[in-house]
Amino acid sequence: LVEVTPKSPEAHVLLATAQLKRNQENAARQSLQRALELKPDYPSAQVALGHLEVKDRKFDRAMEIARALQEAHPGAAYGDELEGDVHLGREAYREASGSYASAYGKSPSAALASKLYRAHEANGEAEQARQALGKWLDEHPEDVQMRGRLAFSLQAGGERQQAIDEYRRLLEYAPDNVTALNNVAWLYHESGSPEGLGYAGRAHELAPDKPEITDTYGWLLVQNGEINRGLVLLQEARVRAPHIPDIHYHMAFALYKAGRTDESRKELDRLPRQEGGSSPRSSRRLGTVLGNAEEEAKKGGEEYVSTEHLLLGILDEGQGAAFDLLRTHGASRDAVAEATKEVKGGQKADNPDPEGTYAALEKYTVDLTERARQGKIDPVIGRDEEIRRVMQVLTRRTKNNPVLIGAP
């Protein structure tokens, strides 16, 4: 399109949009600058360039663009929104919330409501954050994603009944939302109501392979006196996720209730120990990272938040041990975005297990079996006994890691 209409600023912006989707930020910057050479007062190009400046932490440049937009288009929201993005990047959360509120007043949108929520939350203003979401949901009750965010915020803040109400409203529009079903089941359980069992059973019916879902259903069955049924499910959950301490605790309790005290004690011995302190809770920074990851997934038109979105969310958040570790090993945002693009190969996170579609094994490992089929591996001569022994070890259910010692 640019080749056909080289003097069209719209064509250059479209090219920049395509380049950004392919994480070609330098090329996109050049396309946007070319569009602005052709049409200096072009808000779409200015906003996109401003977002690139924020991403590169060039906040002064981004603020200049925001001010120019506000002056040229005082009734539009995009100048205020970009100003909010700059403040958020500088961690000036109160100023960010003011800018986002101004933008929302001019042109309400889910994206602005989400940003306003993030700014208030990062500033420790939980109530104002929820009001931002509630205001949007009053006019758009069918927005399942925003309703889920509000419900989770209430749940994390200990507002149990309000969280239950929001999850139930969400389920009116998305009755098969597994996360909402599981969370409302757990909240009912914490409230002492047996009503949660039905929600947990429905969640397990929809997602029987998810250990956290199986654990919730098993635990609620045990709490409602169905110990043997609950034990079966908790055993399944433990096999699928042996690293989750809560599952071991639930399993130990169920074994104790079943009269199997020795097994219960052994299960408790597997739990990590903590001396003193109060129950750990998620930090504000974790909330920011999760919000960043969600925004990254939305930007790419993806339905699920995946591992790469979390990595980019950590890098966007810009502080903490995980960020320091990534930067120490040279994992800049651009490098991670480029590596993600290569690994995904054009795939989108459109299912609960997107990593399974990325063909990472084929890209980063060697399939020795396939190479042997193709005759590309020399035969092993004079090692029949050793080969049989390796096969025997590999086919064990436990202790199935053979060690080969000595010359080949």
Side-chain angles (χ1 to χ4, degrees):
L1 184 59
V2 170
E3 291 177 1
V4 176
T5 56
K7 293 187 178 181
S8 166
E10 292 83 1
H12 287 280
V13 169
L14 288 172
L15 175 60
T17 303
Q19 289 165 333
L20 286 171
K21 286 183 178 179
R22 297 173 64 85
N23 297 311
Q24 298 171 342
E25 292 186 6
N26 290 332
R29 184 186 294 276
Q30 292 174 6
S31 297
L32 292 169
Q33 288 170 342
R34 177 58 179 151
L36 290 170
E37 288 172 8
L38 295 166
K39 185 179 179 182
D41 183 20
Y42 190 12
S44 296
Q46 291 170 287
V47 169
L49 187 59
H51 287 157
L52 280 177
E53 302 293 15
V54 170
K55 190 177 289 186
D56 290 343
R57 305 186 71 80
K58 296 174 181 175
F59 298 126
D60 289 341
R61 292 185 190 176
M63 188 61 83
E64 288 176 10
I65 296 172
R67 295 282 185 258
L69 286 166
Q70 289 170 327
E71 185 176 348
H73 307 276
Y78 33 70
D80 293 338
E81 182 177 2
L82 181 57
E83 181 185 63
D85 292 343
V86 174
H87 287 313
L88 194 68
R90 286 174 167 166
E91 299 183 11
Y93 301 124
R94 185 177 297 279
E95 291 81 359
S97 61
S99 298
Y100 288 143
S102 176
Y104 187 90
K106 294 173 181 177
S107 180
S109 70
L112 278 171
S114 179
K115 287 183 176 183
L116 185 54
Y117 167 84
R118 284 173 58 193
H120 280 307
E121 187 180 49
N123 202 42
E125 300 168 340
E127 186 58 35
Q128 291 92 323
R130 292 169 195 156
Q131 286 174 1
L133 296 182
K135 186 176 181 181
W136 171 257
L137 288 167
D138 286 343
E139 297 179 1
H140 304 84
E142 75 289 347
D143 191 331
V144 170
Q145 191 168 36
M146 296 291 275
R147 180 81 64 187
R149 178 174 279 192
L150 176 59
F152 183 79
S153 174
L154 290 164
Q155 183 178 0
E159 305 289 342
R160 191 177 296 151
Q161 187 55 53
Q162 287 180 282
I164 288 174
D165 292 342
E166 292 301 332
Y167 279 125
R168 291 190 62 168
R169 289 191 186 103
L170 186 158
L171 290 167
E172 290 175 10
Y173 293 96
D176 291 343
N177 187 302
V178 172
T179 300
L181 288 165
N182 189 65
N183 287 355
V184 78
W186 191 259
L187 287 165
Y188 270 124
H189 160 65
E190 289 181 333
S191 303
S193 169
E195 193 171 346
L197 190 58
Y199 288 97
R202 177 61 180 155
H204 183 257
E205 180 184 334
L206 291 167
D209 295 333
K210 285 193 171 184
E212 65 274 20
I213 304 297
T214 304
D215 171 58
T216 298
Y217 188 33
W219 178 240
L220 265 61
L221 284 169
V222 169
Q223 292 295 303
N224 282 272
E226 298 186 54
I227 296 170
N228 291 332
R229 279 186 68 199
L231 261 174
V232 171
L233 292 170
L234 291 171
Q235 285 169 336
E236 287 180 16
R238 184 185 61 178
V239 168
R240 292 182 184 276
H243 58 285
I244 299 179
D246 282 354
I247 295 177
H248 290 286
Y249 169 73
H250 295 160
M251 186 73 188
F253 182 87
L255 288 167
Y256 173 78
K257 295 291 283 185
R260 295 154 64 176
T261 53
D262 289 342
E263 293 175 69
S264 174
R265 192 174 292 110
K266 288 179 182 177
E267 197 68 37
L268 285 174
D269 288 340
R270 299 179 183 178
L271 288 168
R273 300 181 184 276
Q274 178 180 326
E275 300 295 334
S278 58
S279 300
R281 300 189 63 165
S282 61
S283 65
R284 270 193 295 168
R285 288 224 312 269
L286 174 59
T288 301
V289 168
L290 293 174
N292 291 344
E294 189 175 280
E295 289 295 325
E296 192 66 33
K298 276 187 188 175
K299 199 189 314 177
E302 300 184 274
E303 296 180 29
Y304 292 85
V305 173
S306 189
T307 311
E308 67 273 10
H309 303 133
L310 290 171
L311 280 174
L312 292 169
I314 290 169
L315 290 165
D316 285 343
E317 200 267 339
Q319 56 181 314
F323 173 80
D324 292 340
L325 184 64
L326 287 167
R327 294 307 294 263
T328 298
H329 289 82
S332 67
R333 194 189 195 288
D334 286 349
V336 171
E338 190 62 34
T340 295
K341 173 188 161 188
E342 182 182 344
V343 170
K344 293 172 75 170
Q347 296 281 343
K348 287 187 179 290
D350 55 4
N351 65 76
D353 182 28
E355 291 85 358
T357 67
Y358 296 163
L361 280 175
E362 289 80 355
K363 291 179 181 177
Y364 300 108
T365 63
V366 176
D367 188 340
L368 293 176
T369 303
E370 183 58 31
R371 293 195 68 182
R373 284 196 189 103
Q374 296 171 359
K376 294 181 179 179
I377 296 181
D378 293 333
V380 178
I381 299 172
R383 290 288 186 268
D384 290 350
E385 184 179 346
E386 288 85 352
I387 291 172
R388 275 194 287 270
R389 181 63 178 149
V390 167
M391 291 173 65
Q392 182 184 28
V393 173
L394 286 171
T395 54
R396 289 175 179 166
R397 290 188 61 189
T398 59
K399 297 184 179 179
N400 53 8
N401 298 307
V403 179
L404 304 179
I405 301 172

